[in-house]
Amino acid sequence: MGKYFQEEIETASREQITQWHEDGLKDVVKRVYENVPFYRKKMEEAGVTPDDIQSLDDIVKLPFLTKDDLRDAYPYGLLALPLSECVRIQSTSGTTGKRVVDFYTQKDLDNWANGCARAIVAAGGDKDDVCHVCYGYGLFTGGPGLNDGSHKVGCLTLPMSSGNTDRQLQFMVDLGATILCCTPSYAAYLAESIHERGLRDKIKLKAGIFGAEAWSEEMRNDIQEKLGIKAYDIYGLTEIEGPGVSFECQEQAGMHICEDLFIPEIVDPETLEPVPDGQVGELVFTSFAKEAFPLIRYRTKDITYITHEKCKCGRTHARIHRLMGRTDDMLIIKGVNVYPSQVEEVLIKKGMPANYQLIVDRVHNSDTLEVKVEMTPELFAETDEAKAKKQKELISALKSMLGIYAEVTLVEPKSITRSEGKAVRVIDNRKI
Ligand code: DLL
């Protein structure tokens, strides 16, 4: 197999991609207008009918869809086909008690698996690889998505799911895993455990496909160095499909969006006006190829920017920059916008492990920020004086990165609970 999984699609001309978008948009708008009362009502309220959608530019006439809409339409209100045509659901937590549920036909599952297969091939994978998947299996899309992508490529697939680190490491060594798929925080934890147990020379990993949560370039370098691999970012969300909506290639310079399946837009989260390439805003998707559960102009709340510049890898599909946070995980502390990824960047630059927790509180009407940081075993063995010095250094580095004072508490190695799924980075005790 070459360096693409579906070369013709992945290297299509921009004219071809625009044609897919235009045809796909007209088709999906007609489908939902005719079959989904929830959509028809939304479109009627916005004063738009399928006849108003003649070109891609007309997309701006269509109303946005939000997680609240998904909650209101839960569980079947956005289905574009009878339930008997669907073969699977996946789900993730919603903004309130109700979960977000996505429905798939067999064709939707095939398209999803193709996206994940493209990601695996872009990371250098082929049928001779052993693909170790320790994203969770079940309702979460991580395990099933990468699993099915790995089958499509023809890799030997290890459906490990999450948890039981001893078993993960045993299979990794005994079965010679070459590609690791998990969250970046679990990859960092596995890397630590591999070093502690002296297994570094026994593992054959060459690449990792890490996503589902925000991570930094510093964390990438750290994992790459510790495991001797190339670490690739992969992005996706349940509402749109799951992992593989976009993925990095060998250039590690942004994630290619599967534009044969999705129309991406970046909008200003305040004005909701589209912004040009290179400008940071909220990512919006139209999943026009989805049969069961197509979403039109879905606001992801994820913050990034897009580029249509040619990539050296030869893929023509637009790329999004590594995710820069969410409009809703952005903390406002003392009026200052703070992203957990900024704290992580400082910690790793200062040689600290990427195991940390931000604890936000409000004391006497004033916000406080405490950053709990795990010490390295080396620092833990040092004198109190050395520890105090490191603590001061971190306070000052955080101040210059965030623009606010953060109390730093150094805690024992491994004392912050490890997550096998997404790490819990923020505890916000404020009652605002
Ligand atoms: O996390 C899908 C996934 C699984 C992606 C495995 C990659 C790998 P949800 O549980 O619906 O789906 O969460 C989606 O997670 O809107 C982002 O905020 C965040 N997210 C996903 N991938 C990345 C990434 C899966 N590479 C939400 N970088 C999204 C930063 C990410 N954040």
Side-chain angles (χ1 to χ4, degrees):
M1 192 173 303
K3 60 193 234 206
Y4 310 105
F5 180 65
Q6 292 171 303
E7 180 164 359
E8 219 173 292
I9 295 174
E10 294 179 71
T11 62
S13 66
R14 183 46 51 186
E15 291 69 40
Q16 173 65 75
I17 293 171
T18 305
Q19 194 63 53
W20 285 332
H21 287 178
E22 213 152 85
D23 295 346
L25 184 66
K26 284 190 223 167
D27 170 64
V28 75
V29 167
K30 193 161 174 293
R31 274 194 289 138
V32 300
Y33 192 79
E34 285 169 4
N35 300 313
V36 187
F38 188 94
Y39 262 120
R40 180 190 279 258
K41 184 160 169 276
K42 250 184 113 69
M43 284 171 61
E44 279 170 358
E45 279 163 10
V48 48
T49 69
D51 288 343
D52 295 318
I53 308 303
Q54 293 303 329
S55 78
L56 187 54
D57 293 339
D58 293 328
I59 196 168
V60 296
K61 297 178 181 164
L62 292 161
F64 288 97
L65 197 73
T66 64
K67 223 169 196 170
D68 286 344
D69 290 318
L70 262 50
R71 188 192 55 210
D72 295 345
Y74 175 90
Y76 300 131
L78 285 168
L79 261 188
L81 281 178
L83 201 54
S84 57
E85 301 299 314
C86 302
V87 298
R88 171 94 72 81
I89 68 149
Q90 300 289 156
S91 169
T92 190
S93 51
T95 43
T96 61
K98 277 187 190 150
R99 293 183 63 90
V100 169
V101 180
D102 190 1
F103 297 82
Y104 307 76
T105 62
Q106 188 54 53
K107 184 161 173 234
D108 293 334
L109 287 180
D110 268 356
N111 281 339
W112 178 23
N114 285 340
C116 289
R118 287 179 203 172
I120 292 170
V121 173
D126 64 27
K127 64 182 282 304
D128 295 327
D129 278 295
V130 178
C131 189
H132 183 119
V133 184
C134 45
Y135 287 113
Y137 279 64
L139 287 173
F140 180 55
T141 52
L146 270 306
N147 184 89
D148 294 355
S150 171
H151 284 184
K152 286 244 177 196
V153 178
C155 303
L156 174 66
T157 310
L158 310 187
M160 302 300 300
S161 198
S162 53
N164 199 338
T165 301
D166 286 336
R167 191 177 62 190
Q168 302 281 0
L169 294 178
Q170 190 189 341
F171 271 72
M172 197 180 282
V173 170
D174 293 351
L175 293 163
T178 53
I179 299 178
L180 175 65
C181 305
C182 61
T183 56
S185 49
Y186 195 52
Y189 179 56
L190 286 174
E192 258 178 39
S193 309
I194 285 168
H195 274 259
E196 273 170 17
R197 297 170 200 205
L199 295 174
R200 177 69 175 77
D201 294 337
K202 295 206 169 76
I203 59 161
K204 296 210 179 77
L205 290 179
K206 62 175 189 188
I209 302 179
F210 306 136
E213 64 184 6
W215 53 313
S216 58
E217 207 49 43
E218 286 73 15
M219 189 161 175
R220 185 211 304 266
N221 293 336
D222 198 47
I223 296 173
Q224 293 195 143
E225 200 184 307
K226 283 212 175 96
L227 289 176
I229 62 170
K230 267 184 102 170
Y232 298 92
D233 203 355
I234 183 166
Y235 167 82
L237 62 166
T238 312
E239 301 91 303
I240 296 301
E241 170 180 271
V245 169
S246 67
F247 59 86
E248 274 188 335
C249 63
Q250 299 281 323
E251 300 302 317
Q252 296 177 308
M255 294 180 274
H256 291 280
I257 297 163
C258 293
E259 283 200 276
D260 52 319
L261 308 174
F262 314 111
I263 302 171
E265 293 175 83
I266 304 281
V267 302
D268 180 318
E270 297 296 323
T271 64
L272 300 183
E273 289 297 326
V275 301
D277 276 24
Q279 196 169 313
V280 173
E282 181 178 339
L283 184 55
V284 171
F285 279 115
T286 297
S287 50
F288 62 85
K290 280 289 268 314
E291 292 184 327
F293 195 76
L295 298 188
I296 295 179
R297 302 196 89 197
Y298 180 66
R299 292 184 58 185
T300 64
K301 300 208 176 224
D302 289 318
I303 300 168
T304 184
Y305 63 84
I306 197 166
T307 175
H308 288 81
E309 263 173 33
K310 244 186 136 146
C311 181
K312 288 200 197 110
C313 76
R315 288 177 185 76
T316 47
H317 296 204
R319 281 168 290 158
I320 45 169
H321 183 265
R322 161 189 294 295
L323 276 277
M324 301 160 94
R326 288 178 59 82
T327 51
D328 58 358
D329 95 344
M330 182 179 77
L331 293 159
I332 303 183
I333 303 172
K334 294 185 178 159
V336 174
N337 296 351
V338 173
Y339 290 105
S341 57
Q342 295 172 299
V343 172
E344 186 178 289
E345 199 176 312
V346 168
L347 296 182
I348 294 182
K349 269 195 186 134
K350 292 280 168 197
M352 303 300 286
N355 292 309
Y356 63 94
Q357 224 158 32
L358 271 59
I359 297 158
V360 193
D361 214 333
R362 183 159 284 185
V363 181
H364 304 307
N365 290 322
S366 178
D367 290 340
T368 59
L369 171 62
E370 180 194 0
V371 182
K372 268 196 190 169
V373 187
E374 268 187 15
M375 286 180 267
T376 55
E378 291 78 2
L379 181 60
F380 186 53
E382 283 276 1
T383 58
D384 285 352
E385 211 178 4
K387 285 177 195 153
K389 187 163 166 259
K390 190 74 188 177
Q391 187 185 25
K392 261 179 122 173
E393 217 181 276
L394 290 172
I395 290 174
S396 140
L398 284 169
K399 175 93 204 278
S400 64
M401 167 66 95
L402 308 175
I404 54 167
Y405 173 82
E407 180 66 37
V408 170
T409 311
L410 295 174
V411 297
E412 286 185 24
K414 300 217 175 283
S415 59
I416 296 179
T417 314
R418 292 298 193 282
S419 151
E420 282 151 4
K422 303 189 189 214
V424 179
R425 299 293 194 206
V426 180
I427 298 175
D428 197 337
N429 293 322
R430 294 174 298 182
K431 311 257 176 301
I432 299 176

